[in-house]
Amino acid sequence: QVQLVESGGGLVQAGGSLRLSCAASGSIFNMRWYRQAPGNQREFVAGITRGGSTNYADSVKGRFTASRDNALNTAYLQMNSLKPEDTAVYYCNTQRFGIDYWGKGTLVTVSS
């Protein structure tokens, strides 16, 4: 079983930056970031493989950067040039043996 704990959310003005962290209880392979805004479905934001390959949703390309520290079993999401529409609860997600694991999320609020 894998436990994921997100941190780093908060309130920031539009144009600002935040760095989210996702600490895992053990070795992780692929890691994905999702977000869910009020009244919306959860959506994919970014993904990073164990080797460091990344992919992003079109809405965050060029602004968000996923990274990881395998020694610390931690993934990061650097979010720059934040917009009010980035306001959401951000979750990290991984799979092991076909089972999905989710953190409890961290709230990001971007004020205009």
Side-chain angles (χ1 to χ4, degrees), residues 23 49 56 75 85 97 105 109 111:
T49 67
Y56 301 94
E85 51 264 43
F97 304 120
T109 303
S111 63

Side-chain angles (χ1 to χ4, degrees), residues 61-112:
K61 278 181 183 176
R63 300 189 298 122
F64 290 11
T65 302
S67 62
R68 62 191 291 163
D69 186 328
N70 291 332
L72 297 178
N73 295 327
T74 300
Y76 305 97
L77 185 66
Q78 178 67 43
M79 307 186 296
N80 299 330
S81 302
L82 283 161
K83 305 175 181 180
E85 51 264 43
D86 294 319
T87 294
V89 177
Y90 284 72
Y91 300 89
C92 56
N93 161 266
T94 194
Q95 295 85 36
R96 179 176 288 180
F97 304 120
I99 300 173
D100 260 326
Y101 295 96
W102 295 87
K104 293 183 178 181
T106 185
L107 176 63
V108 172
T109 303
V110 184
S111 63
S112 57

Side-chain angles (χ1 to χ4, degrees), residues 32-48:
R32 297 181 181 87
W33 290 94
Y34 288 79
R35 66 186 181 187
Q36 187 167 18
N40 289 0
Q41 290 187 331
R42 193 170 296 188
E43 64 175 1
F44 171 80
V45 175
I48 184 166

